[in-house]
Amino acid sequence: MRLTKFEHAGLLLEKDGQKLYVDPGSFTSPLTDTANAVAVVITHEHADHWTPEQLKRVLELSPDAKIFGPEGVATAAADFDITVVHPGDTVEAGPFALRFFGGRHAVIHESIPVVDNVGVLINDTLYYAGDSFSVPEGVEVDVLAAPAGAPWMKIAETMDYVLAVKPKRAFPIHEMVLSRAGKDMANGRLAWATEQNGGAFSALEPGDSLDL
């Protein structure tokens, strides 16, 4: 399985000639070459994790692709056929096995509603919690997508999260709200946290790939 990181929260997984997209939102460049997509996972309803335009780009070339997301996504994306998933659910899409965790977005501020959010474990290898620090209990995580910057977090929280998950490998995600200096600082902190339990950190940039 091959992972390609896009800007911010967008990911592409490829296996056996088929594709799975995760959270292609407003900070992610317009998707291209979306043929052979079997599914899109949207962790929650915020625009930096999905847009109608990005979904249409997938469905234009892969009309049978399924879209998975929590109930909040089904409401926000009512013009699309959303398969609602909940924490504890396991589904398959082509060569991809998806297990869902969590349930709620991290708190941004008491004035802002907390929305539905699911983390996803893909092929028992890659874990991405969306906008949360949900730890997949009972799972040994091979590769962790670790948030680098957001209104709902500080880097110390992500460091503690990485220390709790103990991934063998990690890379930064959710970083487009940071300056170049901010990205470099976050990468240094996340590398330290990953290495405390013997893991390796890859400072992936948009367009970079990793074999899983």
Side-chain angles (χ1 to χ4, degrees), residues 43-44 46 48-49 104-106 117 128-133 152 174:
T43 62
H44 65 283
H46 291 159
D48 58 326
H49 292 256
R104 302 296 283 170
H105 193 289
N117 178 95
Y128 171 45
D131 282 9
S132 80
F133 293 120
W152 49 269
H174 212 284

Side-chain angles (χ1 to χ4, degrees), residues 138-156:
V139 175
E140 291 188 6
V141 174
D142 184 5
V143 182
L144 176 68
W152 49 269
M153 58 155 281
K154 59 183 180 181
I155 196 64

Side-chain angles (χ1 to χ4, degrees), residues 62-149:
S62 298
D64 295 328
K66 292 185 176 296
I67 305 171
F68 298 102
E71 292 179 3
V73 169
T75 300
D79 291 339
F80 297 89
D81 183 10
I82 307 296
T83 298
V84 174
V85 291
H86 303 92
D89 287 350
T90 299
V91 300
E92 293 188 2
F96 303 103
L98 311 174
R99 294 172 61 189
F100 295 95
F101 296 84
R104 302 296 283 170
H105 193 289
V107 174
I108 302 171
H109 186 266
E110 63 181 10
S111 65
I112 299 174
V114 177
V115 301
D116 295 330
N117 178 95
V118 291
V120 61
L121 178 68
I122 302 170
N123 286 358
D124 291 326
T125 299
L126 169 67
Y127 182 65
Y128 171 45
D131 282 9
S132 80
F133 293 120
S134 174
V135 176
E137 298 296 338
V139 175
E140 291 188 6
V141 174
D142 184 5
V143 182
L144 176 68

